[in-house]
Amino acid sequence: MADMTTDAGDLRELTVGTGAGGEQLGTDMVLNIGPQHPSTHGVLRLRLVLDGERVVACEPIVGYMHRGAEKLFEVRDYRQIIVLANRHDWLSAFSNELGVVLAVERLMGMEVPERATWLRMALAELNRVLNHLMFLGSYPLEIGAITPMFYAFRERETIQTVMEEVSGGRIHYMFNRVGGLKEEVPSGWTGRARAAITEVRRRMPDLDNLIRRNDIFLARTVGVGVLSAADAAAFGASGPVARASGLDLDLRRDEPYLAYDQLDVPVVTKTAGDCHARFEVLLDQVYASLDLAEQCLDRVDRLTGPINTRLPKVLKAPEGHTYAWTENPLGINGYYLVSRGEKTPWRLKLRTASYANVQALATLLPGCLVPDLIAILGSMFFVVGDIDK
């Protein structure tokens, strides 16, 4: 739909896209990207003001996928909310579950068996690798490189096999429980998981060498969509997006939870802050997470004992409130839990990484060209379900 008006003189306004609004002077065009666009990892709308092919202003408009999960938490008990929480970032389900159970355990003052703690860390790092591999395949695909997707999915399938064996799920694992994990891992599973890690580590250079220094990929990403460290901090960006801009922040090292304080967690950072730096951080983080997962599995093999804590039939958290945060694959996730002593939360507020990261598009996109828009958008590594919850 287009609407063109001509006033006295040469003043013109052109609005393009269903439902677009606003007032611009001169020959600026308002263009809607979305809400359905293949590069947005869900249903996101960008309202752009264009001067020719150059973006003058950008307004990210969210809410098209809103499930009302935070309200649903209030009428589900502490066992049931896990199944809701693991779905907002569908690439990081295990990590999403983990944050919720950590918040409940903290409020209840519950000690989790050591074996469960180290298994949680191993599975969380494997989940991080799965998340990153998806973006390492899909991001080049969005800007025209088809082959990396096949390599990325080959490695994903290797990790998915061991994740499916241990939990029964391929996307929504539902393996965390308040007080530990659902059940003991199958006999010999740690050995098979270690073999999978070794295989993925051996084959990762196939993907790395194909894309990291590819001339066409470099031309599309180097110097494009630069996010400064100051802007990243101002927008509350975290995870690979922030670390690519030089923000040296990782909760596993800086505010350790589980038993991360017993590991030397390598934090991958870059300073360029452009699309290529964000991609490189993701790529290098895969190697780091594979190493961490292997260290956790080594510790699991040396531990014996239970995998969970025996709970009452009706689980009630004491009255009070707590805040737990975790270093999810896409950045910092926060869980603010308020209890009134009942079997359901009075309030469970999610602070998700994608929601904060996507805000930076308002600063990143103005000044860029429309052909660079998809390269910048894809490099922010967000999942729209993680924005809308």
Side-chain angles (χ1 to χ4, degrees):
M1 180 186 294
D3 175 51
M4 188 183 300
T5 59
T6 304
D7 298 326
D10 294 324
L11 199 63
R12 297 176 66 206
E13 177 185 317
L14 182 64
T15 302
V16 178
T18 306
E23 296 180 1
Q24 291 76 39
L25 298 177
T27 58
D28 288 346
M29 172 193 292
V30 178
L31 178 68
N32 282 291
I33 301 291
Q36 285 100 2
H37 194 280
S39 77
T40 56
H41 304 282
V43 191
L44 175 72
R45 174 182 165 203
L46 296 179
R47 183 178 176 278
L48 305 176
V49 179
L50 304 179
D51 180 8
E53 280 196 84
R54 193 167 297 278
V55 178
V56 176
C58 166
E59 180 189 2
I61 301 173
V62 303
Y64 290 93
M65 288 186 67
H66 191 51
R67 300 184 298 120
E70 291 180 356
K71 294 303 291 180
L72 291 173
F73 290 153
E74 297 170 15
V75 291
R76 302 290 191 276
D77 68 36
Y78 288 108
R79 292 181 174 91
Q80 294 170 326
I81 60 175
I82 299 171
V83 76
L84 287 173
N86 75 8
R87 281 164 163 73
H88 55 87
D89 175 0
W90 46 78
L91 299 178
S92 312
F94 186 88
S95 301
N96 299 342
E97 301 168 10
L98 182 59
V100 172
V101 296
L102 286 175
V104 179
E105 288 162 4
R106 181 173 297 178
L107 192 59
M108 297 181 69
M110 184 181 293
E111 288 289 331
V112 176
E114 190 179 8
R115 182 173 167 82
T117 296
W118 285 96
L119 261 172
R120 280 177 171 180
M121 291 165 62
L123 292 166
E125 293 305 319
L126 290 175
N127 193 198
R128 192 182 310 276
V129 172
L130 285 173
N131 175 290
H132 291 357
L133 283 170
M134 172 60 80
F135 286 106
L136 291 173
S138 67
Y139 180 53
L141 181 67
E142 287 162 11
I143 53 180
I146 298 173
T147 311
M149 190 60 134
F150 298 110
Y151 286 105
F153 264 75
R154 179 186 68 179
E155 310 316 327
R156 270 180 60 86
E157 198 60 37
T158 303
I159 301 292
Q160 282 282 32
T161 299
V162 294
M163 293 292 282
E164 184 177 12
E165 181 188 357
V166 76
S167 68
R170 289 179 60 83
I171 298 178
H172 303 302
Y173 304 108
M174 271 303 293
F175 199 57
N176 276 291
R177 293 292 186 275
V178 176
L181 294 170
K182 175 186 173 187
E183 59 194 5
E184 182 56 83
V185 296
S187 176
W189 177 84
T190 55
R192 291 187 289 277
R194 203 178 284 104
I197 290 170
T198 302
E199 186 73 3
V200 171
R201 188 188 288 116
R202 181 182 66 80
R203 297 188 308 209
M204 272 301 292
D206 293 345
L207 175 62
D208 196 328
N209 297 333
L210 181 70
I211 195 70
R212 190 195 292 256
R213 296 293 168 219
N214 181 282
D215 288 341
I216 301 173
F217 186 71
L218 289 171
R220 292 293 306 274
T221 57
V222 173
V224 175
V226 176
L227 178 66
S228 69
D231 283 341
F235 280 105
S238 58
V241 169
R243 290 195 287 271
S245 297
L247 282 186
D248 189 7
L249 173 66
D250 191 309
L251 294 183
R252 295 172 297 171
R253 180 199 64 191
D254 303 327
E255 291 279 346
Y257 53 99
L258 296 175
Y260 277 112
D261 56 338
Q262 300 180 42
L263 293 178
D264 180 17
V265 180
V267 179
V268 181
T269 59
K270 304 287 179 185
T271 55
D274 57 10
C275 294
H276 193 262
R278 291 189 280 273
F279 183 84
E280 278 197 306
V281 167
L282 220 61
L283 193 54
D284 292 337
Q285 182 66 58
V286 168
Y287 296 108
S289 290
L290 289 172
D291 292 342
L292 288 173
E294 197 165 46
Q295 292 175 48
C296 294
L297 290 171
D298 291 341
R299 185 66 70 94
V300 169
D301 282 341
R302 299 200 298 268
L303 292 169
T304 57
I307 205 70
N308 49 37
T309 304
R310 188 172 182 84
L311 299 175
K313 188 172 183 179
V314 178
L315 182 65
K316 294 183 179 182
E319 189 170 346
H321 62 94
T322 190
Y323 183 76
W325 58 351
T326 59
E327 186 69 38
N328 264 42
L330 297 181
I332 294 174
N333 270 25
Y335 304 82
Y336 179 57
L337 174 63
V338 183
S339 169
R340 290 190 170 176
E342 300 166 347
K343 66 178 183 179
T344 61
W346 184 77
R347 184 81 169 91
L348 178 56
K349 174 74 175 72
L350 301 180
R351 185 271 186 208
T352 57
S354 298
Y355 186 82
N357 291 353
V358 81
Q359 294 178 95
L361 289 171
T363 293
L364 276 181
L365 292 179
C368 83
L369 298 172
V370 172
D372 290 331
L373 188 147
I374 301 306
I376 298 170
L377 191 61
S379 75
M380 295 308 285
F381 307 129
F382 58 85
V383 172
V384 176
D386 202 37
I387 298 171
D388 289 346
K389 302 185 281 293

